[in-house]
Amino acid sequence: QVQLVESGGGSVQAGGSLRLSCAASGYTYSSGCMGWFRQKPGKEREGVAAIWFGGGFTYYADSVKGRFTVSQDNAKNTLYLQMNSLIPEDSAVYYCAADDTPRRCRVALQGYLEVWGQGTLVTVSS
């Protein structure tokens, strides 16, 4: 059974940093994709960053470009999201997702990925 487990969320002041981790078990997405999404209270879920391993692409939402960096550790089957220069608008529940279908990975930030984690809360105070 495929599982994604996020960790690293917490509370931080504006301007601070956090690193989220997403550990995948039960499957290795070496040619698929993994990504980070977030959902703010009362808002729809939005794509933040993703890596399509098979296509060699990295995607970022405009709102996080230059501040967030997505990376992977293949040996640990883990995806990371380094978040710097955090602002209160970054506060949300952050979810990790994964898929191995090129058709969905090509547009990963649209959020139609197959497997999802349970989420981790990030709170940024001003």
Side-chain angles (χ1 to χ4, degrees):
Q1 182 179 356
V2 180
Q3 273 194 316
L4 301 176
V5 179
E6 303 99 332
S7 60
S11 298
V12 64
Q13 288 193 327
S17 299
L18 282 174
R19 189 176 82 153
L20 305 182
S21 300
C22 172
S25 61
Y27 194 82
T28 300
Y29 292 91
S30 57
S31 61
C33 59
M34 295 181 74
W36 291 98
F37 300 80
R38 67 187 181 187
Q39 188 165 21
K40 304 173 187 179
K43 299 292 181 77
E44 292 189 357
R45 187 175 60 202
E46 59 178 343
V48 175
I51 301 178
W52 180 16
F53 307 119
F57 292 100
T58 303
Y59 307 103
Y60 290 98
D62 288 343
S63 58
V64 305
K65 282 180 182 176
R67 300 188 299 121
F68 291 10
T69 303
V70 62
S71 62
Q72 80 276 15
D73 184 330
N74 292 330
K76 296 181 179 179
N77 212 19
T78 299
L79 186 75
Y80 301 100
L81 184 67
Q82 178 66 44
M83 305 186 293
N84 298 328
S85 302
L86 284 161
I87 59 178
E89 290 74 19
D90 293 320
S91 297
V93 177
Y94 283 72
Y95 297 91
C96 173
D99 204 302
D100 60 1
T101 304
R103 174 173 55 86
R104 289 194 287 264
C105 287
R106 189 173 292 115
V107 289
L109 288 186
Q110 291 187 8
Y112 298 110
L113 304 186
E114 185 175 27
V115 182
W116 291 81
Q118 83 289 350
T120 186
L121 178 64
V122 171
T123 303
V124 184
S125 58
S126 57

